[in-house]
C-alpha cells in the first residue's frame, strides 16, 4: 500500500522553498565535518526544516546531531563530545564549519563560523539561539528516575496552585500522535522552582493516575511536545532516536507533528533514527545517511544500511531505484537457471541518484569484500557504466513496462495472473477488464498496481505488484536472459558456490 502522509504536498514544497531561499530569522543551513572522528570534508545541507539522520550503529548519526548543536552558544560541545584524557587523543584538531542564517548578525547573507578542538580545548564564536535537546534518557520510566523518588509515596501531594493542566495545543498534538484522548492530563510542579515535574492523567471515568503508570513513550511524547509548543519561534530541536518507545504509527505522526511545527513556529528539527516509519513523511532532501566515513543525501530503506557498509554475508549486492524494481529484479533472479539466489541481496534505494551513489561508495569501500552492481530504470537520467557496474532495466517506467507486457500476453497467462491476484480462475475475464480499465484511466504508472488492487477488493498493492513481476519473469524467458547477460559475470552460480 502506498503511504500517504497527512501533511499536504503543498506544505512540503513550501517548506523546501523556504529553506532554499533561506527565508528564516535563524536557521542552520549547512555544516561541514572538516575533521571529526572518521569524517573528512563531509558536508550536510539542511534543505528541509525537519532532517532525519540514519545509518548503522557507529555510523556517525549522533556525531552530526552533536555538530549541529555545537553551532550555538547554548550547547556546550562537551554535551556530545566529551574528552576522556589520553584515551581520546583522536579529538586533536577536530574542526566543524557552519553556514548559519542569523538576520541580527547579517541581514542579507549567511554567517560563517567554525568550531574546533585544539590544544585540549574547544574554540568557537557561536551565536545565540534557543536549542532543545531530547536525548535517549527521555524514555526512562518515572519509577527509575531519582528526581521523582519523593513522589512515590502514599503521602505525596502538591498544592493546587502547582497543578497545571496541559494546554490545548499540547493536548491536541499528543492526542493525535498517541491516538488517545489526553484531555484532563496535567503537570505537577514538584519542587519550588518547577525544575522537577510529574505528569498526571485521567481515565475515561475520571479517575486520576500518575506518570508512574504511564508508558515510557507516552510520557516522553507529552514532555517533548509541551516543551516544543512552549519554546520561542525559530528554535532548533535535536532528538536522539525519535522512535524510542513509540509504535510505528506514532512515530509517523510524531514526524508529521514536527513538520507542522516547522510551518507554524518556523522551528528547525534534526533527529536520528533507525526507523523506516520515521522517514515516510519526509522528502528525500530531508534525509542523510551516515556510514562511518561518508555522508549521503537521499531516502532509502533502513535494511539496506548493512549492505552499504559491507556488513553483510552475501556473494552479490544489487542496488535498485525503488520497491517495485526490487520486486521485479528478485522475480527475474528466481526464474534464472542455476543461480545461487540465496546469496544475492537486492535493495531499493528510493531514487536513481541514491542507488548510483550507494553502489559507487560500496564498490570503493576497501573493507567491503562483496561486489555490488546498480540497476537503474529505463527512464533514469543517470548514465550506464560498465566500469562502475551500472546497468539499465528494459522499458521506461518499470511498472508500466511490466504491466503492458503482461497484458499483451494475456491469452497465454491471463488465468495464471488472475490466480496470482487471489481471484478465481474462471473470473479471469473480469480481472482483464479491470486491468484494461485501470490502464486507460491511469495518469501515474507508479499507481497502477495500487489502483488494480483497489478495484479487486482492497487487495494490497504489494500483492498485485508481486503477481505482475513474477508472471512477467515466467512469460518472457528470452527478455529475462537479456537482462541478466549484461551483468552475468557478477552472478553467483550454484556450482561456483559448491
Amino acid at each position: 500500500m502506498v503511504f500517504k502522509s497527512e501533511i499536504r504536498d503543498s506544505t512540503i514544497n513550501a517548506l523546501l522553498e523556504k529553506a532554499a531561499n533561506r527565508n528564516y530569522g535563524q536557521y542552520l543551513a549547512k555544516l561541514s565535518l572538516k575533521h571529526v572522528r572518521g569524517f573528512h570534508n563531509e558536508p550536510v545541507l539542511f534543505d528541509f526544516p525537519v532532517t532525519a539522520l540514519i545509518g548503522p550503529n557507529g555510523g556517525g548519526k549522533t556525531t552530526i546531531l552533536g555538530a549541529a548543536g555545537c553551532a550555538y552558544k547554548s550547547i556546550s560541545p562537551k554535551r556530545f563530545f566529551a574528552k576522556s584524557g589520553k584515551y581520546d587523543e583522536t579529538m586533536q584538531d577536530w574542526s566543524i564549519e557552519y553556514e548559519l542564517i542569523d538576520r541580527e548578525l547579517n541581514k542579507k547573507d549567511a554567517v560563517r563560523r567554525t568550531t574546533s578542538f585544539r590544544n585540549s580545548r574547544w574554540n568557537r564564536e557561536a551565536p545565540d539561539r534557543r536549542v532543545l535537546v531530547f536525548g535517549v534518557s527521555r524514555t526512562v520510566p518515572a519509577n527509575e528516575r531519582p528526581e521523582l523518588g519523593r513522589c512515590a509515596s502514599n503521602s505525596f501531594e502538591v498544592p493546587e496552585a502547582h497543578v497545571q493542566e496541559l494546554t490545548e495545543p499540547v493536548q491536541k498534538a499528543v492526542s493525535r500522535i498517541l491516538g488517545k484522548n489526553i484531555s484532563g492530563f496535567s503537570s505537577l510542579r514538584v519542587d519550588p522552582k518547577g525544575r522537577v515535574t510529574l505528569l498526571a492523567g485521567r481515565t475515561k471515568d475520571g479517575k486520576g493516575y500518575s506518570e508512574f503508570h504511564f508508558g515510557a513513550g507516552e510520557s516522553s511524547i507529552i514532555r517533548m511536545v509541551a516543551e516544543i509548543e512552549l519554546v520561542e519561534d525559530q528554535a532548533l530541536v535535536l532528538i536522539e532516536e525519535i522512535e524510542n518507545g513509540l509504535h510505528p504509527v506514532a512515530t509517523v505522526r510524531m514526524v508529521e507533528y514536527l513538520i507542522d511545527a516547522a510551518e507554524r513556529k518556523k522551528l528547525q528539527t534534526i533527529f536520528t533514527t533507525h526507523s523506516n516509519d520515521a522517514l515516510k513523511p519526509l522528502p528525500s532532501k530531508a534525509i542523510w545517511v551516515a556510514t562511518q566515513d561518508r555522508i549521503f543525501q537521499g531516502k532509502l530503506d533502513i535494511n539496506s544500511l548493512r549492505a552499504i557498509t559491507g556488513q553483510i554475508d552475501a556473494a552479490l549486492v544489487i542496488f535498485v531505484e525503488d520497491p517495485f524494481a526490487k520486486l521485479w529484479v528478485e522475480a527475474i533472479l528466481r526464474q534464472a537457471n542455476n543461480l545461487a539466489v540465496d546469496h544475492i541481496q537486492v535493495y531499493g534505494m528510493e531514487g536513481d541518484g541514491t542507488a548510483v551513489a550507494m553502489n559507487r561508495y560500496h564498490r570503493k569501500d576497501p573493507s567491503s569484500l562483496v561486489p555490488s552492481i546498480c540497476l537503474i530504470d529505463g527512464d533514469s537520467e543517470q548514465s550506464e557504466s560498465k566500469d562502475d557496474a551500472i546497468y539499465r532495466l528494459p522499458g521506461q517506467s518499470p511498472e508500466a513496462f511490466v504491466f503492458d507486457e503482461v497484458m499483451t500476453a494475456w491469452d497465454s497467462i491471463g488465468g495464471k495472473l488472475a490466480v496470482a491476484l487471489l481471484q478465481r480462475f474462471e473470473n479471469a475475464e473480469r480481472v482483464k477488464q479491470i486491468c484494461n480499465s485501470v490502464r486507460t484511466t491511469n495518469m501515474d504508472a507508479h499507481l497502477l498496481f495500487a489502483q488494480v488492487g483497489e478495484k479487486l477488493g482492497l487487495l494490497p498493492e504489494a500483492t498485485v505488484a508481486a503477481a505482475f513481476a513474477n508472471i512477467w519473469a515466467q512469460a518472457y524467458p528470452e527478455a529475462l536472459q537479456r537482462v541478466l547477460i549484461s551483468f552475468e559475470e557478477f552472478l553467483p552460480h550454484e556450482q561456483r558456490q559448491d
Side-chain angles (χ1 to χ4, degrees), residues 145-163:
R145 291 164 53 190
E147 71 272 21
L148 295 180
R150 74 185 82 173
C151 307
S153 70
N154 290 331
S155 59
F156 172 73
E157 190 176 356
V158 299
E160 196 63 34
H162 290 188
V163 179

mmCIF file with all atom_site columns, all heavy atoms in Angstrom, residues 145-163:
data_model
loop_
_atom_site.group_PDB
_atom_site.id
_atom_site.type_symbol
_atom_site.label_atom_id
_atom_site.label_alt_id
_atom_site.label_comp_id
_atom_site.label_asym_id
_atom_site.label_entity_id
_atom_site.label_seq_id
_atom_site.pdbx_PDB_ins_code
_atom_site.Cartn_x
_atom_site.Cartn_y
_atom_site.Cartn_z
_atom_site.occupancy
_atom_site.B_iso_or_equiv
_atom_site.pdbx_formal_charge
_atom_site.auth_seq_id
_atom_site.auth_comp_id
_atom_site.auth_asym_id
_atom_site.auth_atom_id
_atom_site.pdbx_PDB_model_num
ATOM 1   N N   . ARG A 1 145 ? 13.590 7.153  37.719 1.00 0.00 ? 145 ARG A N   1
ATOM 2   C CA  . ARG A 1 145 ? 14.190 8.488  37.707 1.00 0.00 ? 145 ARG A CA  1
ATOM 3   C C   . ARG A 1 145 ? 14.346 8.993  39.138 1.00 0.00 ? 145 ARG A C   1
ATOM 4   O O   . ARG A 1 145 ? 13.353 9.194  39.850 1.00 0.00 ? 145 ARG A O   1
ATOM 5   C CB  . ARG A 1 145 ? 13.329 9.441  36.886 1.00 0.00 ? 145 ARG A CB  1
ATOM 6   C CG  . ARG A 1 145 ? 13.353 9.110  35.386 1.00 0.00 ? 145 ARG A CG  1
ATOM 7   C CD  . ARG A 1 145 ? 12.238 9.760  34.633 1.00 0.00 ? 145 ARG A CD  1
ATOM 8   N NE  . ARG A 1 145 ? 12.174 11.200 34.854 1.00 0.00 ? 145 ARG A NE  1
ATOM 9   C CZ  . ARG A 1 145 ? 11.171 11.962 34.446 1.00 0.00 ? 145 ARG A CZ  1
ATOM 10  N NH1 . ARG A 1 145 ? 10.137 11.411 33.814 1.00 0.00 ? 145 ARG A NH1 1
ATOM 11  N NH2 . ARG A 1 145 ? 11.186 13.251 34.671 1.00 0.00 ? 145 ARG A NH2 1
ATOM 12  N N   . PRO A 1 146 ? 15.593 9.178  39.595 1.00 0.00 ? 146 PRO A N   1
ATOM 13  C CA  . PRO A 1 146 ? 15.843 9.534  41.001 1.00 0.00 ? 146 PRO A CA  1
ATOM 14  C C   . PRO A 1 146 ? 15.119 10.795 41.446 1.00 0.00 ? 146 PRO A C   1
ATOM 15  O O   . PRO A 1 146 ? 14.661 10.875 42.592 1.00 0.00 ? 146 PRO A O   1
ATOM 16  C CB  . PRO A 1 146 ? 17.371 9.733  41.040 1.00 0.00 ? 146 PRO A CB  1
ATOM 17  C CG  . PRO A 1 146 ? 17.894 8.939  39.892 1.00 0.00 ? 146 PRO A CG  1
ATOM 18  C CD  . PRO A 1 146 ? 16.841 9.029  38.831 1.00 0.00 ? 146 PRO A CD  1
ATOM 19  N N   . GLU A 1 147 ? 14.991 11.782 40.549 1.00 0.00 ? 147 GLU A N   1
ATOM 20  C CA  . GLU A 1 147 ? 14.381 13.048 40.957 1.00 0.00 ? 147 GLU A CA  1
ATOM 21  C C   . GLU A 1 147 ? 12.895 12.910 41.285 1.00 0.00 ? 147 GLU A C   1
ATOM 22  O O   . GLU A 1 147 ? 12.306 13.792 41.919 1.00 0.00 ? 147 GLU A O   1
ATOM 23  C CB  . GLU A 1 147 ? 14.578 14.113 39.870 1.00 0.00 ? 147 GLU A CB  1
ATOM 24  C CG  . GLU A 1 147 ? 13.769 13.911 38.592 1.00 0.00 ? 147 GLU A CG  1
ATOM 25  C CD  . GLU A 1 147 ? 14.478 13.048 37.564 1.00 0.00 ? 147 GLU A CD  1
ATOM 26  O OE1 . GLU A 1 147 ? 15.394 12.290 37.949 1.00 0.00 ? 147 GLU A OE1 1
ATOM 27  O OE2 . GLU A 1 147 ? 14.106 13.128 36.371 1.00 0.00 ? 147 GLU A OE2 1
ATOM 28  N N   . LEU A 1 148 ? 12.274 11.799 40.837 1.00 0.00 ? 148 LEU A N   1
ATOM 29  C CA  . LEU A 1 148 ? 10.851 11.585 41.142 1.00 0.00 ? 148 LEU A CA  1
ATOM 30  C C   . LEU A 1 148 ? 10.642 10.634 42.315 1.00 0.00 ? 148 LEU A C   1
ATOM 31  O O   . LEU A 1 148 ? 9.505  10.274 42.626 1.00 0.00 ? 148 LEU A O   1
ATOM 32  C CB  . LEU A 1 148 ? 10.131 11.040 39.906 1.00 0.00 ? 148 LEU A CB  1
ATOM 33  C CG  . LEU A 1 148 ? 10.051 11.974 38.695 1.00 0.00 ? 148 LEU A CG  1
ATOM 34  C CD1 . LEU A 1 148 ? 9.304  11.306 37.547 1.00 0.00 ? 148 LEU A CD1 1
ATOM 35  C CD2 . LEU A 1 148 ? 9.378  13.300 39.060 1.00 0.00 ? 148 LEU A CD2 1
ATOM 36  N N   . GLY A 1 149 ? 11.741 10.246 42.962 1.00 0.00 ? 149 GLY A N   1
ATOM 37  C CA  . GLY A 1 149 ? 11.627 9.310  44.083 1.00 0.00 ? 149 GLY A CA  1
ATOM 38  C C   . GLY A 1 149 ? 10.718 9.809  45.192 1.00 0.00 ? 149 GLY A C   1
ATOM 39  O O   . GLY A 1 149 ? 9.951  9.051  45.785 1.00 0.00 ? 149 GLY A O   1
ATOM 40  N N   . ARG A 1 150 ? 10.782 11.129 45.470 1.00 0.00 ? 150 ARG A N   1
ATOM 41  C CA  . ARG A 1 150 ? 9.970  11.703 46.548 1.00 0.00 ? 150 ARG A CA  1
ATOM 42  C C   . ARG A 1 150 ? 8.464  11.610 46.247 1.00 0.00 ? 150 ARG A C   1
ATOM 43  O O   . ARG A 1 150 ? 7.634  11.738 47.149 1.00 0.00 ? 150 ARG A O   1
ATOM 44  C CB  . ARG A 1 150 ? 10.365 13.164 46.756 1.00 0.00 ? 150 ARG A CB  1
ATOM 45  C CG  . ARG A 1 150 ? 9.854  14.109 45.669 1.00 0.00 ? 150 ARG A CG  1
ATOM 46  C CD  . ARG A 1 150 ? 10.342 15.516 45.816 1.00 0.00 ? 150 ARG A CD  1
ATOM 47  N NE  . ARG A 1 150 ? 11.670 15.672 45.268 1.00 0.00 ? 150 ARG A NE  1
ATOM 48  C CZ  . ARG A 1 150 ? 12.286 16.863 45.143 1.00 0.00 ? 150 ARG A CZ  1
ATOM 49  N NH1 . ARG A 1 150 ? 11.667 17.962 45.556 1.00 0.00 ? 150 ARG A NH1 1
ATOM 50  N NH2 . ARG A 1 150 ? 13.471 16.948 44.619 1.00 0.00 ? 150 ARG A NH2 1
ATOM 51  N N   . CYS A 1 151 ? 8.120  11.437 44.941 1.00 0.00 ? 151 CYS A N   1
ATOM 52  C CA  . CYS A 1 151 ? 6.708  11.395 44.557 1.00 0.00 ? 151 CYS A CA  1
ATOM 53  C C   . CYS A 1 151 ? 6.091  10.008 44.758 1.00 0.00 ? 151 CYS A C   1
ATOM 54  O O   . CYS A 1 151 ? 4.863  9.862  44.675 1.00 0.00 ? 151 CYS A O   1
ATOM 55  C CB  . CYS A 1 151 ? 6.545  11.797 43.091 1.00 0.00 ? 151 CYS A CB  1
ATOM 56  S SG  . CYS A 1 151 ? 7.318  13.365 42.662 1.00 0.00 ? 151 CYS A SG  1
ATOM 57  N N   . ALA A 1 152 ? 6.926  9.000  44.989 1.00 0.00 ? 152 ALA A N   1
ATOM 58  C CA  . ALA A 1 152 ? 6.429  7.621  45.102 1.00 0.00 ? 152 ALA A CA  1
ATOM 59  C C   . ALA A 1 152 ? 6.138  7.286  46.552 1.00 0.00 ? 152 ALA A C   1
ATOM 60  O O   . ALA A 1 152 ? 6.815  6.460  47.192 1.00 0.00 ? 152 ALA A O   1
ATOM 61  C CB  . ALA A 1 152 ? 7.448  6.651  44.511 1.00 0.00 ? 152 ALA A CB  1
ATOM 62  N N   . SER A 1 153 ? 5.134  7.944  47.105 1.00 0.00 ? 153 SER A N   1
ATOM 63  C CA  . SER A 1 153 ? 4.726  7.652  48.486 1.00 0.00 ? 153 SER A CA  1
ATOM 64  C C   . SER A 1 153 ? 3.241  7.937  48.644 1.00 0.00 ? 153 SER A C   1
ATOM 65  O O   . SER A 1 153 ? 2.668  8.745  47.901 1.00 0.00 ? 153 SER A O   1
ATOM 66  C CB  . SER A 1 153 ? 5.537  8.495  49.483 1.00 0.00 ? 153 SER A CB  1
ATOM 67  O OG  . SER A 1 153 ? 5.161  9.854  49.407 1.00 0.00 ? 153 SER A OG  1
ATOM 68  N N   . ASN A 1 154 ? 2.624  7.299  49.631 1.00 0.00 ? 154 ASN A N   1
ATOM 69  C CA  . ASN A 1 154 ? 1.184  7.484  49.864 1.00 0.00 ? 154 ASN A CA  1
ATOM 70  C C   . ASN A 1 154 ? 0.849  8.910  50.297 1.00 0.00 ? 154 ASN A C   1
ATOM 71  O O   . ASN A 1 154 ? -0.274 9.373  50.109 1.00 0.00 ? 154 ASN A O   1
ATOM 72  C CB  . ASN A 1 154 ? 0.694  6.502  50.919 1.00 0.00 ? 154 ASN A CB  1
ATOM 73  C CG  . ASN A 1 154 ? 0.676  5.070  50.408 1.00 0.00 ? 154 ASN A CG  1
ATOM 74  O OD1 . ASN A 1 154 ? 0.500  4.837  49.211 1.00 0.00 ? 154 ASN A OD1 1
ATOM 75  N ND2 . ASN A 1 154 ? 0.868  4.111  51.306 1.00 0.00 ? 154 ASN A ND2 1
ATOM 76  N N   . SER A 1 155 ? 1.823  9.603  50.853 1.00 0.00 ? 155 SER A N   1
ATOM 77  C CA  . SER A 1 155 ? 1.559  10.937 51.383 1.00 0.00 ? 155 SER A CA  1
ATOM 78  C C   . SER A 1 155 ? 1.882  12.056 50.391 1.00 0.00 ? 155 SER A C   1
ATOM 79  O O   . SER A 1 155 ? 1.711  13.238 50.713 1.00 0.00 ? 155 SER A O   1
ATOM 80  C CB  . SER A 1 155 ? 2.382  11.156 52.658 1.00 0.00 ? 155 SER A CB  1
ATOM 81  O OG  . SER A 1 155 ? 3.767  11.021 52.384 1.00 0.00 ? 155 SER A OG  1
ATOM 82  N N   . PHE A 1 156 ? 2.343  11.690 49.189 1.00 0.00 ? 156 PHE A N   1
ATOM 83  C CA  . PHE A 1 156 ? 2.744  12.730 48.238 1.00 0.00 ? 156 PHE A CA  1
ATOM 84  C C   . PHE A 1 156 ? 1.542  13.552 47.788 1.00 0.00 ? 156 PHE A C   1
ATOM 85  O O   . PHE A 1 156 ? 0.494  13.023 47.425 1.00 0.00 ? 156 PHE A O   1
ATOM 86  C CB  . PHE A 1 156 ? 3.421  12.112 47.004 1.00 0.00 ? 156 PHE A CB  1
ATOM 87  C CG  . PHE A 1 156 ? 3.689  13.103 45.910 1.00 0.00 ? 156 PHE A CG  1
ATOM 88  C CD1 . PHE A 1 156 ? 4.700  14.046 46.048 1.00 0.00 ? 156 PHE A CD1 1
ATOM 89  C CD2 . PHE A 1 156 ? 2.909  13.128 44.753 1.00 0.00 ? 156 PHE A CD2 1
ATOM 90  C CE1 . PHE A 1 156 ? 4.944  14.974 45.044 1.00 0.00 ? 156 PHE A CE1 1
ATOM 91  C CE2 . PHE A 1 156 ? 3.147  14.051 43.752 1.00 0.00 ? 156 PHE A CE2 1
ATOM 92  C CZ  . PHE A 1 156 ? 4.177  14.981 43.898 1.00 0.00 ? 156 PHE A CZ  1
ATOM 93  N N   . GLU A 1 157 ? 1.741  14.873 47.789 1.00 0.00 ? 157 GLU A N   1
ATOM 94  C CA  . GLU A 1 157 ? 0.697  15.791 47.344 1.00 0.00 ? 157 GLU A CA  1
ATOM 95  C C   . GLU A 1 157 ? 1.339  17.143 47.074 1.00 0.00 ? 157 GLU A C   1
ATOM 96  O O   . GLU A 1 157 ? 2.337  17.508 47.706 1.00 0.00 ? 157 GLU A O   1
ATOM 97  C CB  . GLU A 1 157 ? -0.389 15.940 48.418 1.00 0.00 ? 157 GLU A CB  1
ATOM 98  C CG  . GLU A 1 157 ? -1.609 16.689 47.943 1.00 0.00 ? 157 GLU A CG  1
ATOM 99  C CD  . GLU A 1 157 ? -2.706 16.720 49.002 1.00 0.00 ? 157 GLU A CD  1
ATOM 100 O OE1 . GLU A 1 157 ? -2.509 16.094 50.061 1.00 0.00 ? 157 GLU A OE1 1
ATOM 101 O OE2 . GLU A 1 157 ? -3.733 17.374 48.761 1.00 0.00 ? 157 GLU A OE2 1
ATOM 102 N N   . VAL A 1 158 ? 0.815  17.885 46.104 1.00 0.00 ? 158 VAL A N   1
ATOM 103 C CA  . VAL A 1 158 ? 1.308  19.237 45.834 1.00 0.00 ? 158 VAL A CA  1
ATOM 104 C C   . VAL A 1 158 ? 0.142  20.200 45.959 1.00 0.00 ? 158 VAL A C   1
ATOM 105 O O   . VAL A 1 158 ? -1.023 19.807 45.783 1.00 0.00 ? 158 VAL A O   1
ATOM 106 C CB  . VAL A 1 158 ? 1.941  19.347 44.420 1.00 0.00 ? 158 VAL A CB  1
ATOM 107 C CG1 . VAL A 1 158 ? 3.131  18.407 44.282 1.00 0.00 ? 158 VAL A CG1 1
ATOM 108 C CG2 . VAL A 1 158 ? 0.905  19.086 43.332 1.00 0.00 ? 158 VAL A CG2 1
ATOM 109 N N   . PRO A 1 159 ? 0.417  21.468 46.275 1.00 0.00 ? 159 PRO A N   1
ATOM 110 C CA  . PRO A 1 159 ? -0.672 22.461 46.347 1.00 0.00 ? 159 PRO A CA  1
ATOM 111 C C   . PRO A 1 159 ? -1.401 22.578 45.011 1.00 0.00 ? 159 PRO A C   1
ATOM 112 O O   . PRO A 1 159 ? -0.814 22.378 43.956 1.00 0.00 ? 159 PRO A O   1
ATOM 113 C CB  . PRO A 1 159 ? 0.068  23.756 46.697 1.00 0.00 ? 159 PRO A CB  1
ATOM 114 C CG  . PRO A 1 159 ? 1.360  23.323 47.288 1.00 0.00 ? 159 PRO A CG  1
ATOM 115 C CD  . PRO A 1 159 ? 1.727  22.041 46.616 1.00 0.00 ? 159 PRO A CD  1
ATOM 116 N N   . GLU A 1 160 ? -2.649 22.904 45.051 1.00 0.00 ? 160 GLU A N   1
ATOM 117 C CA  . GLU A 1 160 ? -3.453 23.020 43.839 1.00 0.00 ? 160 GLU A CA  1
ATOM 118 C C   . GLU A 1 160 ? -2.861 24.032 42.864 1.00 0.00 ? 160 GLU A C   1
ATOM 119 O O   . GLU A 1 160 ? -2.966 23.873 41.641 1.00 0.00 ? 160 GLU A O   1
ATOM 120 C CB  . GLU A 1 160 ? -4.884 23.421 44.200 1.00 0.00 ? 160 GLU A CB  1
ATOM 121 C CG  . GLU A 1 160 ? -5.886 23.205 43.077 1.00 0.00 ? 160 GLU A CG  1
ATOM 122 C CD  . GLU A 1 160 ? -6.009 21.724 42.690 1.00 0.00 ? 160 GLU A CD  1
ATOM 123 O OE1 . GLU A 1 160 ? -5.879 20.863 43.578 1.00 0.00 ? 160 GLU A OE1 1
ATOM 124 O OE2 . GLU A 1 160 ? -6.222 21.453 41.489 1.00 0.00 ? 160 GLU A OE2 1
ATOM 125 N N   . ALA A 1 161 ? -2.182 25.050 43.413 1.00 0.00 ? 161 ALA A N   1
ATOM 126 C CA  . ALA A 1 161 ? -1.574 26.068 42.561 1.00 0.00 ? 161 ALA A CA  1
ATOM 127 C C   . ALA A 1 161 ? -0.413 25.506 41.742 1.00 0.00 ? 161 ALA A C   1
ATOM 128 O O   . ALA A 1 161 ? 0.007  26.121 40.758 1.00 0.00 ? 161 ALA A O   1
ATOM 129 C CB  . ALA A 1 161 ? -1.083 27.236 43.414 1.00 0.00 ? 161 ALA A CB  1
ATOM 130 N N   . HIS A 1 162 ? 0.109  24.346 42.164 1.00 0.00 ? 162 HIS A N   1
ATOM 131 C CA  . HIS A 1 162 ? 1.228  23.729 41.454 1.00 0.00 ? 162 HIS A CA  1
ATOM 132 C C   . HIS A 1 162 ? 0.764  22.722 40.404 1.00 0.00 ? 162 HIS A C   1
ATOM 133 O O   . HIS A 1 162 ? 1.594  22.048 39.796 1.00 0.00 ? 162 HIS A O   1
ATOM 134 C CB  . HIS A 1 162 ? 2.163  23.038 42.446 1.00 0.00 ? 162 HIS A CB  1
ATOM 135 C CG  . HIS A 1 162 ? 2.922  23.991 43.315 1.00 0.00 ? 162 HIS A CG  1
ATOM 136 N ND1 . HIS A 1 162 ? 3.932  23.584 44.171 1.00 0.00 ? 162 HIS A ND1 1
ATOM 137 C CD2 . HIS A 1 162 ? 2.824  25.351 43.466 1.00 0.00 ? 162 HIS A CD2 1
ATOM 138 C CE1 . HIS A 1 162 ? 4.414  24.629 44.800 1.00 0.00 ? 162 HIS A CE1 1
ATOM 139 N NE2 . HIS A 1 162 ? 3.741  25.715 44.391 1.00 0.00 ? 162 HIS A NE2 1
ATOM 140 N N   . VAL A 1 163 ? -0.551 22.624 40.222 1.00 0.00 ? 163 VAL A N   1
ATOM 141 C CA  . VAL A 1 163 ? -1.107 21.705 39.222 1.00 0.00 ? 163 VAL A CA  1
ATOM 142 C C   . VAL A 1 163 ? -1.530 22.515 37.998 1.00 0.00 ? 163 VAL A C   1
ATOM 143 O O   . VAL A 1 163 ? -2.357 23.419 38.103 1.00 0.00 ? 163 VAL A O   1
ATOM 144 C CB  . VAL A 1 163 ? -2.315 20.931 39.791 1.00 0.00 ? 163 VAL A CB  1
ATOM 145 C CG1 . VAL A 1 163 ? -2.882 19.988 38.720 1.00 0.00 ? 163 VAL A CG1 1
ATOM 146 C CG2 . VAL A 1 163 ? -1.926 20.161 41.047 1.00 0.00 ? 163 VAL A CG2 1
#
